[in-house]
Amino acid sequence: MNRPKARIHLPRREFLIKGGAGVLGTIIAAGTLDSVSGAQTPSAQNAKANLHAFKMGEYNPNYASQWTVRIAQSLGYLKEVGIDDFEVVLSEQYMPGLIGHSLDVTHADTDVLFGSGLKSGLPIKMISCYRQNEWWIMGVRKGINRPEDLRGAKITGGQLNGRNTWIQREILKKLGLNPDKDVTFVPMGGGSDSRLRAVVNGQVDAASLLPRHKAQLERAGGKFLYEQPHHTPQEAYAALGGWLSKNDDTAYAFTRADIKARQWLFKPENKEKAYDIMIKMGYKIPDDFKKLYQVALDMISPDCGFDSAAVMDEFVESLGTIGTLPKGFEWRKYVDMKYVWAAQKSLGLPRRPASL
């Protein structure tokens, strides 16, 4: 199959913010995209890929973002289903690459997937869930020990209209505080590491942080005042409807191999080998990251599914609140779990989510 190699350099979130639809239109003009077909759902038990070479888009170089597909590759699960040549293409231009046919499937933030489908009008489909949870964490500086100590505090989640700030507001509510009256939110550029420095230096009293920041914050006398995983299907694997209509067998086969790898990864006795696989492939994994093994697994879906339609409803509603997606966004138009459901059944796993 001849495919144009789209070379569009646009950061993944800028793609939506700065004329994403125009970029998509340029790609569409360069090639033909097929519509979604109404193919019936076969069994994934003996699924064999019709494509033997498979390119997957990835935006995150971190080992944990590629863990399951690399395990499927290393342990031979992909070859078992007929995918002999598997390549991960690391690029922030993963959505243009998918639309331009230079990628078969891509890892994507779910909000970017939905937003791209909405703005382009193209049948971009979520076919699998990668990270089904996210950590809701509020890190606080030395001297803050109880929720009451936050009255009058300065808190940052980065951008004032971003999801991290929204999460901090929700955490405050859970702690019995009023985010509009009891604290002041301040904007901050940079990523989570910048927010950690701001807490440690006393620039702010609390901030949205990540699990890997815990040790450094505690060494500076601070702590995580709130630390809970939350059901959020925040990352997904996406494919074009036209590609799926031609390569259904490959989609079923790939998903089955991925779930098989995830089931292997989630067995505690495979922990050291799971890290060794990634290290041998050239990924750098500091010892501090190895200590977060269970934290990493707590985010990843063990079966490519997510908890329920209700948690996706809640996630999409939150994205509407902060303006990432329009309120009332119909996410079901952009999700097709038939590949996951068939693979789950073939591996003796319960159907998850039970329905949409």
Side-chain angles (χ1 to χ4, degrees):
M1 183 184 299
N2 294 322
R3 296 176 179 171
K5 307 294 185 181
R7 302 292 184 185
I8 297 177
H9 299 282
L10 194 64
R12 58 194 180 99
R13 294 195 181 275
E14 293 294 310
F15 173 72
L16 291 181
I17 297 169
K18 297 183 179 178
V23 175
L24 290 170
T26 302
I27 300 170
I28 296 166
T32 301
L33 294 176
D34 302 306
S35 61
V36 182
S37 76
Q40 296 297 310
T41 303
S43 168
Q45 182 69 47
N46 299 308
K48 290 290 184 180
N50 59 295
L51 296 179
H52 302 300
F54 189 98
K55 287 188 177 182
M56 181 168 183
E58 176 57 65
Y59 60 84
N60 193 334
N62 184 275
Y63 77 96
S65 292
Q66 305 175 37
W67 214 350
T68 67
V69 293
R70 289 303 197 184
I71 286 173
Q73 179 184 23
S74 179
L75 297 183
Y77 296 157
L78 289 173
K79 286 195 173 183
E80 284 179 4
V81 297
I83 300 175
D84 301 316
D85 182 6
F86 178 74
E87 181 182 356
V88 174
V89 180
L90 186 63
S91 172
E92 288 193 334
Q93 288 76 53
Y94 61 90
M95 198 58 74
L98 182 73
I99 294 165
H101 294 282
S102 60
L103 299 173
D104 296 299
V105 170
T106 190
H107 181 191
D109 287 330
T110 306
D111 60 342
V112 173
L113 186 164
F114 288 160
S116 297
L118 177 67
K119 286 182 178 292
S120 68
L122 296 174
I124 300 172
K125 296 288 186 177
M126 171 181 175
I127 62 169
S128 173
C129 179
Y130 189 65
R131 286 191 169 99
Q132 65 170 356
N133 295 318
E134 66 181 345
W135 281 99
W136 284 23
I137 295 173
M138 177 181 285
V140 298
R141 62 167 174 78
K142 181 179 180 180
I144 294 179
N145 300 304
R146 303 172 303 165
E148 293 78 9
D149 297 334
L150 286 171
R151 296 187 188 279
K154 290 192 297 183
I155 300 176
T156 187
Q159 296 179 353
L160 289 179
N161 63 344
R163 179 167 172 79
N164 287 331
T165 297
W166 179 85
I167 289 173
Q168 295 301 295
R169 292 176 61 86
E170 293 299 304
I171 290 174
L172 287 168
K173 294 175 187 177
K174 291 179 180 294
L175 295 176
L177 297 174
N178 186 324
D180 294 314
K181 296 180 179 180
D182 292 332
V183 303
T184 300
F185 280 93
V186 296
M188 181 169 294
S192 59
D193 289 346
S194 296
R195 295 195 294 272
L196 172 65
R197 288 193 294 270
V199 174
V200 170
N201 296 333
Q203 183 180 346
V204 296
D205 301 295
S208 169
L209 300 179
L210 298 176
R212 61 184 172 83
H213 295 134
K214 189 172 188 177
Q216 188 174 346
L217 181 62
E218 289 179 346
R219 285 195 292 269
K223 67 178 184 178
F224 283 179
L225 191 63
Y226 187 93
E227 178 187 14
Q228 292 291 331
H230 191 81
H231 292 310
T232 307
Q234 60 173 314
E235 294 176 22
Y237 291 166
L240 278 177
W243 183 91
L244 291 168
S245 68
K246 296 177 181 178
N247 302 294
D248 244 14
D249 288 344
T250 298
Y252 281 111
F254 171 74
T255 304
R256 189 179 195 278
D258 188 24
I259 294 179
K260 194 172 178 181
R262 297 185 194 205
Q263 293 289 296
W264 181 92
L265 174 62
F266 273 69
K267 293 178 180 178
E269 63 267 27
N270 293 328
K271 174 182 175 181
E272 292 306 321
K273 186 173 180 180
Y275 281 121
D276 288 343
I277 285 172
M278 301 305 286
I279 291 169
K280 287 178 181 177
M281 286 188 169
Y283 295 87
K284 296 184 183 300
I285 308 178
D287 288 339
D288 283 349
F289 279 38
K290 289 185 179 181
K291 295 175 183 177
L292 298 175
Y293 168 74
Q294 192 57 50
V295 170
L297 292 191
D298 286 343
M299 299 297 98
I300 298 172
S301 168
D303 55 11
C304 288
F306 52 92
D307 196 58
S308 66
V311 301
M312 185 67 85
D313 283 336
E314 179 187 343
F315 179 41
V316 171
E317 182 180 355
S318 74
L319 295 173
T321 298
I322 63 177
T324 300
L325 292 173
K327 292 184 177 180
F329 176 76
E330 297 180 7
W331 60 265
R332 288 169 177 82
K333 292 169 53 178
Y334 304 92
V335 178
D336 189 348
M337 297 301 288
K338 70 179 182 181
Y339 306 101
V340 168
W341 287 334
Q344 288 171 345
K345 182 178 180 180
S346 74
L347 293 168
L349 301 172
R351 177 171 165 137
R352 204 175 69 95
S355 67
L356 296 181

